[in-house]
């Protein structure tokens, strides 16, 4: 049965993988972790990567399609929240951001967003060694892993 | 603010690898061999709400799983085996709900703590987590809320949206939340409607309040109803069995 552990195992099997984890970006909660983490504290790493993931997932700059629908304000609802009624529209289907890549002096961090069918905010974090890792391969495989994690 | 440990009793039960239900004033933690396998709190939407609110799982599908597998404590397993929910999805959802309920169950205002040995939850085990990890996360969450916007009053008050300043952007998830802010719904009510964990909604509301997109009510927060005075928890949280035995023996000796 595919699950968080199977997903982490596969991520760790990638060449140059040093650490992997599944993290919730709203709260910074680590849902599962494998291998090492940069500071030696997996929970602190989860909280820090979550901040970055949240910024990427939330800022309008990275979700241009969603911003267009903001003009669509419904007439009927005369509540204070009326200005925000455009919320769930067509452009919001699918994640606006697929992944975030950070290149460091010694390696890479790939944060790959997971789309679930219920409301959630989860991504997979892979820490890759700069010398032995293959960023292009890792990015493709992470996308597949993110899809498989929820389809199961 | 509070001590390092959220519940000494929880850590002791984990140490003795206990199985059962830890009942606190604001929720219940279920342990299996010392690891936390489930948590419930009236303040936090359960897995059923998270899965059904967005239409992911029809309410009848949830009911069927409870009817068919509830008695043998394998509802989670049934949802996956019957193809209703993916294995990874169930883990993500269940862990989210569990840490959410644990956060409220382990709230400092909690009253007496009791442990019922041998009790298991009907949902079944999905992904056990160490009690220490749940404690650490609960403490981290408390600090996180205060680091974002140290005004507890916004947690319980009805959410009142404020218009964004010129040029201020409102993000996708914030829009969903603000669309529910009709001046009567509290953060908890919004969590239920959107099918999001209650802590996530509290955190988002505090972030919105910090950004000036939600009103921050004046004055101290309302006391949660039904909470017993803190000294009750202080005593029953960590019963000194040896001391109680000595007391009993001394009493018996004088009779």
């Amino acid at each position: 049965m595919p699950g968080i552990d199977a997903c982490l195992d596969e991520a760790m099997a990638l060449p140059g993988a040093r650490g992997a984890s599944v993290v919730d970006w709203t709260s910074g909660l680590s849902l599962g972790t494998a291998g090492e983490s940069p500071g030696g504290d997996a929970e602190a790493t989860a909280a820090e990567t979550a901040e970055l993931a949240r910024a990427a997932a939330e800022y309008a700059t990275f979700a241009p399609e969603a911003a267009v629908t903001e003009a669509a304000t419904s007439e009927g609802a005369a509540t204070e929240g009326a200005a925000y009624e455009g919320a769930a529209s067509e452009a919001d289907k699918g994640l606006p951001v697929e992944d975030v890549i950070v290149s460091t002096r010694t390696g890479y961090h790939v944060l790959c967003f997971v789309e679930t069918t219920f409301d959630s905010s989860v991504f997979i974090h892979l820490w890759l060694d700069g010398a032995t890792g293959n960023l292009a391969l890792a990015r493709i495989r992470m996308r597949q892993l993110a899809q498989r994690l929820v389809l199961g | 603010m509070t001590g390092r440990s959220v519940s000494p009793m929880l850590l002791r039960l984990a140490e003795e690898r206990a199985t059962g239900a830890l009942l606190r004033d604001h929720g219940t933690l279920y342990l299996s061999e010392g690891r936390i396998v489930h948590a419930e709190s009236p303040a936090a939407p359960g897995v059923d709400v998270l899965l059904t609110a967005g239409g992911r799982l029809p309410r009848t599908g949830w009911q069927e799983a409870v009817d068919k597998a509830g008695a043998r404590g394998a509802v989670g397993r049934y949802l996956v085996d019957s193809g209703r929910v993916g294995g990874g999805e169930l883990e993500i959802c269940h862990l989210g709900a569990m840490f959410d309920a644990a956060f409220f169950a382990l709230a400092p205002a909690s009253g007496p703590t009791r442990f019922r040995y041998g009790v298991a939850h009907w949902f079944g085990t999905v992904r056990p987590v160490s009690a220490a990890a749940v404690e650490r996360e609960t403490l981290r969450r408390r600090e996180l809320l205060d680091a974002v916007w140290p005004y507890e009053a916004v947690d319980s008050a009805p959410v009142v949206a404020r218009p964004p300043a010129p040029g201020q952007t409102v993000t996708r998830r914030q829009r969903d939340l603000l669309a529910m802010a009709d001046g009567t719904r509290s953060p908890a009510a919004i969590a239920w409607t959107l099918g999001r964990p209650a802590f996530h909604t509290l955190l988002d509301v505090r972030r919105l309040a910090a950004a000036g997109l939600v009103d921050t009510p004046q004055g101290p927060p309302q006391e949660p109803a039904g909470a017993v005075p803190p000294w009750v928890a202080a005593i029953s949280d960590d019963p000194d069995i040896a001391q109680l035995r000595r007391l009993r023996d001394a009493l018996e000796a004088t009779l």
Side-chain angles (χ1 to χ4, degrees):
Chain A
M1 181 179 83
I4 292 170
D5 285 330
C7 170
L8 292 175
D9 283 350
E10 284 191 54
M12 286 305 290
L14 283 163
R18 297 189 66 178
S21 53
V22 175
V23 180
D24 172 77
W25 57 255
T26 302
S27 63
L29 168 69
S30 166
L31 299 173
T33 180
E36 329 162 61
S37 66
D41 181 346
E43 285 162 19
T45 299
E48 288 183 4
T49 51
E51 284 296 306
L52 178 61
R54 188 167 63 85
E58 295 271 80
Y59 286 149
T61 303
F62 307 120
E65 322 88 281
V68 177
T69 62
E70 226 174 330
T73 308
S74 74
E75 280 296 306
T79 62
E80 300 209 28
Y84 304 103
E85 289 290 340
S89 56
E90 284 300 306
D92 288 339
K93 288 216 179 88
L95 294 172
V97 180
E98 290 188 353
D99 54 32
V100 176
I101 295 164
V102 178
S103 309
T104 69
R105 194 160 46 76
T106 56
Y108 305 102
H109 294 267
V110 183
L111 315 184
C112 184
F113 289 95
V114 177
E115 185 174 22
T116 57
T117 48
F118 61 96
D119 192 305
S120 73
S121 50
V122 173
F123 66 94
I124 312 171
H125 170 212
L126 175 69
W127 180 30
L128 211 56
D129 185 79
T132 54
N134 180 336
L135 180 60
L137 172 73
R139 194 171 162 251
I140 295 166
R141 292 300 305 281
M142 291 290 280
R143 184 104 300 274
Q144 294 167 344
L145 278 179
Q147 287 164 357
R148 223 153 358 116
L149 175 60
V150 292
L151 286 178
Chain B
M1 184 179 72
T2 48
R4 291 266 312 124
S5 176
V6 195
S7 164
M9 188 169 176
L10 175 62
L11 293 186
R12 205 170 48 242
L13 290 163
E15 227 164 79
E16 65 175 64
R17 298 174 58 80
T19 295
L22 181 71
L23 302 125
R24 286 172 66 97
D25 202 31
H26 292 133
T28 305
L29 301 179
Y30 291 84
L31 281 81
S32 173
E33 295 183 2
R35 291 170 77 78
I36 296 179
V37 290
H38 197 81
E40 276 180 346
S41 168
V47 175
D48 57 330
V49 176
L50 301 187
L51 287 177
T52 56
R56 167 65 184 89
L57 179 70
R59 195 77 219 177
T60 49
W62 170 262
Q63 200 51 53
E64 179 196 296
V66 174
D67 290 345
K68 293 237 166 102
R72 58 192 158 90
V75 173
R77 178 94 239 160
Y78 183 89
L79 285 170
V80 173
D81 288 347
S82 61
R84 292 265 187 202
V85 179
E89 240 181 356
L90 183 77
E91 287 182 342
I92 291 169
C93 185
H94 186 258
L95 282 173
M98 189 163 93
F99 277 99
D100 194 34
F103 172 76
F104 294 100
L106 293 171
S110 281
T113 304
R114 292 179 303 280
F115 190 71
R116 290 177 59 198
Y117 280 91
V119 177
H121 194 271
W122 48 262
F123 191 80
T125 298
V126 178
R127 205 169 194 277
V129 177
S130 77
V134 172
E135 283 232 352
R136 277 197 307 276
E137 177 65 14
T138 298
L139 286 171
R140 191 187 69 82
R141 288 182 173 206
R142 281 185 207 161
E143 285 164 14
L144 181 58
L145 283 181
D146 283 340
V148 168
W149 189 240
Y151 298 95
E152 253 179 83
V154 298
D155 295 352
S156 47
V159 182
V160 178
R162 296 169 64 169
Q168 188 175 21
T169 53
V170 181
T171 68
R172 197 166 53 112
R173 286 177 68 83
Q174 288 178 338
R175 275 205 311 275
D176 293 344
L177 197 159
L178 289 170
M180 295 293 143
D182 58 1
T184 57
R185 286 194 186 100
S186 65
I190 292 176
W192 248 272
T193 316
L194 291 176
R196 289 182 188 173
F199 173 79
H200 287 50
T201 312
L202 288 189
L203 186 57
D204 279 336
V205 167
R206 288 223 195 180
R207 281 173 178 150
L208 285 165
L213 291 165
V214 154
D215 272 345
T216 300
Q218 299 294 311
Q222 297 158 354
E223 277 295 309
V228 292
W231 60 266
V232 177
I235 292 169
S236 55
D237 217 29
D238 188 10
D240 186 343
I241 303 296
Q243 173 85 18
L244 289 171
R245 284 219 178 91
R246 281 197 298 277
L247 265 171
R248 185 197 59 192
D249 293 346
L251 279 168
E252 281 176 349
T254 58
L255 291 172

